[in-house]
Amino acid sequence: MRKMHALCALASSLVLGAGCADNSEYFGKVSPPEGQVFRLNNGSEPEYLDPQKMTGQPDGRIAWAMFEGLTRYDPKTLVPMPGVAESWDLSPDGKVYTFHLRKGLRWSNGDPFTAQDFVYSWRRFLTPETAAQYAYLLFGIHNAEVYNSMQLLTTLRMEGWQPQALNLRRELDEDENFTGRWIASWSTQAPGATGITAGSLQVEKDGQAKGELKGWILGPGGPVEGTLSLEGRLALDAEAGKVSGELAVGGGPQAATAQLEGRRAVAEDIGIRAVDDLTFEVSLDYPIQYFLSLCAFYPLSPVPRQSIEKNGDKWTELENLVSNGAFVMVERKIQDRMVLIRNERYWNAKNVRLEKVILYPIELYTTGCDLYKAGELDVEPSNYIPQEFISSLSTKKDYRTASQLGVYFYRLNVTNPVLKDKRVRKALSMAVDRDRLVKFLKAGQPAAYQYTPPGIYGYDAPKLLKYDPEEGKRLLADAGYPEGKGFPTLDILYNTTEQHRQIAEIIQRDWKNNLGIDVRLNNQEWKVYLKSQRSLDYQVSRSAWIADYADPTTFLDMWLTGGGNNNTGWSSPVYDRLIGEAAREIDPVHRMQIFRDAETLLLDELPIIPIYSYTTFYLQKPYVRGYYPTSLDAHPLEAVWIDHDWQSHPQE
Amino acid sequence: MGLYVLKRFLQMIPVLWIVATVTFFLMRLAPGGPFDKERRIPPEVEANLKKKYHFDEPILKQYFRYMSSALQGDLGPSYKYAEKDVTDFIRDGFPISAQLGLMALAFALVFGILPGVIASLRQNSIWDYGPMSMAMLGVSIPNFVLGPLLVLVFSMTLYWLPPARWDGPSYWILPTITLGSIYAAYIARLTRGGMLEVVRQDYIRTARAKGLPEWRILIRHTIWGGMLPVVSFLGPATAHILTGSVVVEKIFLVPGLGRYFIDAAINRDYTLVLGVVLFDSCVLILLNLVVDVLYGFLDPRVTYD
């Protein structure tokens, strides 16, 4: 049936392609709709209308239209501007933000909007039951991760020592199943002080506990560095989230005992609070340079407490939906359309020119282009344009393109015996002719000679990759496979899409011609492919990553040891350390330098082969104003308007 | 005959039960689940999510839980569109698929029976070869070629009709033709064949011998006999039209039920798949029943026991 769709798309694209060969300046009709109405192809039917649960771009567009966070994006530059918060202060250590909300804010149903709404919303966002996929974005807030992953906040007290704070979490085995054991490890940053500097603890299912404490112990000749052991039995109630008991402390000058007590973290432990109705305070564990930008990202939107408490999961039904942004939803027909109108209670409503926005979930790219051509859509957004049309469409005036913060790359399973060798990985990377590949793609994508795509303000990724088949051959020979002899057939895994197959074929040919190795192509359906990648059941796998926000961490954090999105088996303590250092660095210039160092290491080790950076390409009718190409592909709808007089000044 | 109908209704129950059971277990054989997403959530949160949807229970328990709520009419929430229930999708999608289906059926009947009858009456003439060649074309051109072709001509070049969506009468035309033409073609050929067979029958000769006018024979006798192959074809065909040609709905963005057969399976949306499959099975069985009963009315030789 998938083939049916492919054939279907092919047939209609051939047919439309023929119809494309007209010579007008613009693609299709250019008469605007009546009034200030904007019609957009929204891709697919949204999975959620709840901004905290969603992750897809179609869902995100709707959330951005209906909700507004502390900050919002400037429509052209994406610089964070005041949103719900009209100003903010930052503490000198960069860890405490104090947001001052505008006066007189209201929800779309008239209810007053206060700082408590943010406290409620962010607590709900981090609540485990909400299962928000983007919850990790707020893990910089004090106790946010602890609460979200249901850890136990515990204190260890011993006479004569400072109390130790530790977080017990469930242990996972290699297959990501819970072993039944709880573990904790911690360090106290008190350089030069006497006392405990680090510790670890394991608690078995039956409560049997064992651990150790490292630090300075008072000996007969003064403090000396040593290790104390902990042992005992604890009462651990996982369901109720409680732990308590006594542990024997051994290895010290005399026998001692420690009291341990803990409970599951609760929402009130998170470092956010409403100082008063108009002041919202956030306490971070370490400075986050891009925090203000993050606050504009839709999962961090406020959600209406009254409606949620009354209606539970059904709060997103049309009759219960309450929002605080520029638009409210007035109609929703599944798989057909969603209609939004201007929210007159929005604080900036007088500057929103659009009266109505209609979003259509159109999944077939060719149909979307058809509707755009027939004048039923005003914008056909990024990447919803079939590959085959790009060369003929790129000559039209309504075709726009910009670079996008995304990268297409191949993951390498470094646990594979052949790919374990760094030289092999480098050889594979050097043998890919990226320039020729992007020419084939035709959408202006730049070849990636670095990993982090260009466009992040202040960050210039080190461009260390190159196309050098001779060097690649040499490296492969060094690794023990001269001319590719003895090298096993490699599998390239990709999810079933025409373009991925074409790219894989090009790379297959490059590797054969330049290195003499054989490659087999293996395509799997999306969910199967995700599972294969996650369980490291692949050798080479096609992948991509699009930025959540404009900072190197969104790309570089992925490769930390055991990172949830790593999926290569690669681990480097040096890399982990660098990323950790950067996280705590206050000076922005120095911080970017640390990232460069980390990426230099990444590009030397090459657990991945970057191939090209993304571009956005879309169609925009000439009468649509206020819709700009941006690197995060975010287009605040409150800035858009229909210019009925566009013909007198077509340039924009 | 009432007994016959009752018997068929009772037979429906075990059939539906088997369909539900097989689908339930077959779905879970496919690797991957509804909660496999590109971004990882903390394992504790994922475990929580699985508990909420009872994925942590043994499979048999999940099965009985589903079956008992299904019997009470609760087909559960969709796993992918977690804010919506499966019944929402069926309630919103079925009337549209049904409307499209009925219009396609009407189109197929009108543009199938008429040419078929005419062809059979004027056998081996231009009135025969003409329509029958068109029918051959209709059968050979798949709907995913016909659809875009119609769109190219009528929407993208002439701008007479909209290319997709379902917003009013002008939107209905192209999808109906695309969906109905194949069935029109089949019906034309079947009608012609059936008519030709009936016309040779003894009882028609008897009617002629009795002096009845030709048109009267046609309307009172020939046509009903000629319809028999069409009616037996119609049963399954109607059900398939009704539950939505997946391709036509996809090409023309018709918000019907057909798309979920594929989309829900790809998303491993177990509850939506089960709901749609069960619904489709019900419709199919009922329509087949209607056809069988209709058959009895058309052909006096058929009896029920």
Side-chain angles (χ1 to χ4, degrees), chain A residues 47 176 525 534 548 564, chain B residues 37 39-40 80 83 268:
Chain A
E47 287 180 5
E176 308 239 326
E525 185 256 329
R534 191 160 296 156
D548 292 326
Chain B
K37 308 262 172 133
R39 291 192 156 77
R40 298 305 304 284
K80 182 163 166 82
E83 298 163 342
R268 309 288 189 278

Side-chain angles (χ1 to χ4, degrees), chain A residues 317-362:
Chain A
E317 294 292 309
L318 220 49
E319 57 271 13
N320 303 328
L321 192 52
V322 175
S323 55
N324 75 325
F327 299 94
V328 284
M329 189 178 285
V330 293
E331 190 185 328
R332 180 182 184 191
K333 291 207 203 129
I334 304 182
Q335 303 288 4
D336 188 29
R337 68 158 130 220
M338 281 162 288
V339 181
L340 307 168
I341 59 172
R342 181 172 52 218
N343 176 7
E344 300 301 340
R345 290 208 167 92
Y346 176 55
W347 66 267
N348 205 16
K350 66 179 187 305
N351 287 330
V352 175
R353 279 183 264 207
L354 285 176
E355 286 151 6
K356 199 194 294 201
V357 175
I358 310 182
L359 299 166
Y360 299 107
I362 302 170

Side-chain angles (χ1 to χ4, degrees), chain A residues 172-207:
Chain A
L172 292 166
D173 63 18
E174 306 155 342
D175 296 322
E176 308 239 326
N177 296 320
F178 292 125
T179 61
R181 202 192 276 164
W182 291 73
I183 52 172
S185 61
W186 70 96
S187 59
T188 41
Q189 284 164 332
T194 55
I196 307 302
T197 53
S200 67
L201 189 67
Q202 292 110 288
V203 186
E204 304 294 334
K205 232 186 295 214
D206 57 1

Side-chain angles (χ1 to χ4, degrees), chain B residues 30 47 90 109 134 152 233 274:
Chain B
I90 297 181
L109 286 173
M134 288 292 290
L152 175 66
F233 169 71
L274 271 165

